[in-house]
């Protein structure tokens, strides 16, 4: 397998038999075929390993790591360390990558000389019905703004340059934020000078499950995220203020929310100069929601 444009897809698995077939199949049927799929079986007790082995017997691009349970962070770092590709694609065992995901992300990350990119995505339920659409920040400017209040990627939808991670010694779980490991990684990458972006296309389906780890650990994730957002804002005030002076006039709902969130943070700290004009054309509902969210975040901290 040639290393040029090789994408290593890292897919941790823990008791995912209900959705694993579709997840694996969505990777193996990508239009970009120069890939390896690293399946990390993190001590599953259901039929997940059997499903992985059946796929592996038919496709030589699959590598299986099979061991006792060590947790998601360990599994991610282990899979990335094993990866032979120039690029790391994340994937989860209950999600679906649309057929052109890897091809379009690879083209975008190389043409724009980025270190990480994601894409817009559908939210789907247990049976695969679409329940929502999430738009992510499209360029570096909007990512810089959005990082102060939200996660700019769906974690399992990203493509990352592996050499950026290795050269900067960036791994999952290297700080105290163990419940928001994805956001902590984006913050570490940003601090190391990573170039961020997202493909302006819907390339992914993110499954929302009532018994998912993110639902079970919701309070811990929110607490970690809130602290990370505050740290990011404190470290990057000058950059954020610069980005706020040149954003496009035409904004979608999400972009209005990200900018409004920053403005509320500034207003509540009596940083009024140049803030009110930014909110001039923002819908009142978004302003009120941003105000209440920022109040809630302050009192929680």
């Amino acid at each position: 397998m040639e290393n040029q444009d090789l994408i290593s897809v890292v897919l941790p698995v823990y008791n995912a038999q209900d959705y694993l077939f579709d997840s694996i199949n969505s990777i193996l049927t990508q239009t970009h075929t120069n890939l390896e799929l690293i399946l990390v079986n993190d001590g599953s007790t259901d039929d997940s390993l059997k499903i992985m082995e059946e796929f592996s017997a038919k496709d030589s691009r699959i590598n299986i790591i099979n061991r006792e349970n060590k947790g998601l962070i360990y599994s991610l770092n282990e899979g990335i360390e094993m990866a032979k590709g120039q690029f790391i694609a994340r994937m989860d065992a209950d999600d679906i990558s649309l057929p052109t995901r890897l091809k379009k992300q690879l083209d975008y990350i190389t043409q724009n000389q980025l270190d990480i990119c994601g894409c817009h995505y559908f939210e789907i339920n247990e049976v695969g019905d679409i329940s929502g659409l999430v738009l992510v920040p499209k360029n570096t400017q909007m990512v810089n703004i959005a990082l102060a209040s939200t996660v700019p990627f769906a974690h399992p939808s990203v493509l990352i340059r592996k050499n950026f991670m290795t050269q900067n010694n960036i791994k999952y779980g290297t700080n105290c934020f163990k419940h928001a490991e994805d956001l902590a990684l984006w913050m570490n990458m940003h601090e190391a000078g990573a170039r961020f972006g997202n493909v302006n296309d819907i390339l992914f389906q993110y499954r929302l499950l009532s018994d998912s780890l993110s639902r079970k650990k919701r309070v811990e994730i929110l607490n970690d995220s809130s602290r990370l957002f505050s740290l990011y804002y404190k470290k990057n005030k000058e950059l954020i203020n610069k980005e706020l002076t040149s954003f496009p006039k035409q904004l979608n709902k999400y972009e209005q929310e990200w900018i409004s969130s920053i403005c509320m943070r500034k207003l509540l700290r009596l940083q009024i100069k140049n803030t009110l004009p930014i909110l001039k054309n923002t819908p009142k509902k978004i302003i009120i929601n941003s105000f209440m969210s920022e109040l809630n975040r302050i009192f929680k901290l």
Side-chain angles (χ1 to χ4, degrees):
M1 190 179 291
E2 296 182 0
N3 239 6
Q4 185 177 7
D5 293 343
L6 174 64
I7 295 176
S8 298
V9 183
V10 177
L11 199 167
V13 180
Y14 179 71
N15 290 348
Q17 64 178 20
D18 292 341
Y19 308 106
L20 186 57
F21 181 94
D22 289 341
S23 178
I24 293 175
N25 191 58
S26 77
I27 294 298
L28 298 180
T29 56
Q30 288 286 302
T31 57
H32 179 86
T33 58
N34 188 22
L35 62 87
E36 63 171 351
L37 176 56
I38 301 172
L39 299 170
V40 185
N41 184 35
D42 190 27
S44 297
T45 57
D46 62 1
D47 286 335
S48 293
L49 180 59
K50 179 181 177 182
I51 295 170
M52 288 184 257
E53 290 174 338
E54 289 174 352
F55 271 106
S56 180
K58 300 173 184 177
D59 198 315
S60 62
R61 295 177 296 175
I62 294 177
N63 294 307
I64 299 175
I65 299 173
N66 182 39
R67 50 153 174 75
E68 71 279 11
N69 181 266
K70 293 188 177 182
L72 177 61
I73 290 175
Y74 188 97
S75 297
L76 291 172
N77 288 330
E78 185 178 22
I80 291 171
E81 185 175 345
M82 181 179 179
K84 299 182 180 72
Q86 295 180 17
F87 301 91
I88 304 293
R90 273 285 288 112
M91 184 66 185
D92 277 349
D94 52 4
D95 297 326
I96 296 173
S97 290
L98 299 182
T100 60
R101 173 199 163 185
L102 296 182
K103 170 62 177 170
K104 289 187 175 181
Q105 287 186 316
L106 179 62
D107 288 345
Y108 191 77
I109 204 172
T110 53
Q111 290 168 8
N112 293 279
Q113 298 182 317
L114 302 176
D115 298 302
I116 179 172
C117 75
C119 57
H120 306 313
Y121 58 95
F122 287 122
E123 293 177 331
I124 58 175
N125 60 19
E126 284 90 344
V127 297
D129 294 332
I130 294 173
S131 58
L133 168 64
V134 177
L135 301 181
V136 291
K138 292 175 286 189
N139 54 43
T140 301
Q141 178 191 29
M142 275 300 167
V143 172
N144 288 338
I145 292 172
L147 265 172
S149 61
T150 191
V151 178
F153 316 101
H155 185 193
S157 77
V158 298
L159 183 72
I160 307 174
R161 287 187 188 272
K162 185 181 180 184
N163 65 359
F164 183 87
M165 297 186 72
T166 54
Q167 289 171 5
N168 291 283
N169 195 30
I170 292 176
K171 295 182 178 181
Y172 286 94
T174 56
N175 52 37
C176 62
F177 302 105
K178 305 301 183 184
H179 300 290
E181 75 285 338
D182 53 340
L183 181 57
L185 190 78
W186 315 148
M187 299 295 189
N188 289 340
M189 290 184 68
H190 186 277
E191 194 165 337
R195 293 156 294 183
F196 290 65
N198 279 302
V199 179
N200 189 21
D201 202 351
I202 304 165
L203 303 175
F204 195 74
Q205 293 184 336
Y206 183 84
R207 197 181 302 271
L208 300 175
L209 301 173
S210 57
D211 62 345
S212 67
L213 184 63
S214 59
R215 293 288 179 92
K216 293 177 179 177
K217 299 286 186 179
R218 186 172 181 273
V219 173
E220 292 89 343
I221 292 171
L222 288 175
N223 287 338
D224 273 4
S225 298
S226 183
R227 291 166 62 198
L228 282 164
F229 292 143
S230 294
L231 286 172
Y232 173 83
Y233 181 73
K234 290 176 182 177
K235 289 181 179 180
N236 296 280
K237 282 183 182 180
E238 289 187 15
L239 173 63
I240 293 169
N241 288 334
K242 178 183 175 183
E243 303 291 24
L244 286 175
T245 64
S246 60
F247 61 82
K249 291 183 179 180
Q250 297 296 321
L251 301 172
N252 63 40
K253 170 179 172 287
Y254 294 92
E255 290 167 337
Q256 290 175 331
E257 288 174 350
W258 303 326
I259 291 172
S260 179
S261 177
I262 291 291
C263 290
M264 284 303 115
R265 186 168 298 188
K266 291 165 67 69
L267 286 173
L268 287 171
R269 288 160 180 77
L270 301 180
Q271 299 168 13
I272 299 173
K273 185 179 179 181
N274 299 326
T275 302
L276 291 176
I278 296 174
L279 295 171
K280 182 178 179 181
N281 297 317
T282 304
K284 290 182 180 179
K285 183 177 180 181
I286 290 178
I287 293 175
I288 293 170
N289 287 341
S290 298
F291 176 74
M292 297 306 296
S293 295
E294 182 60 16
L295 277 182
N296 184 55
R297 193 194 65 79
I298 289 172
F299 286 118
K300 278 191 174 180
L301 290 178

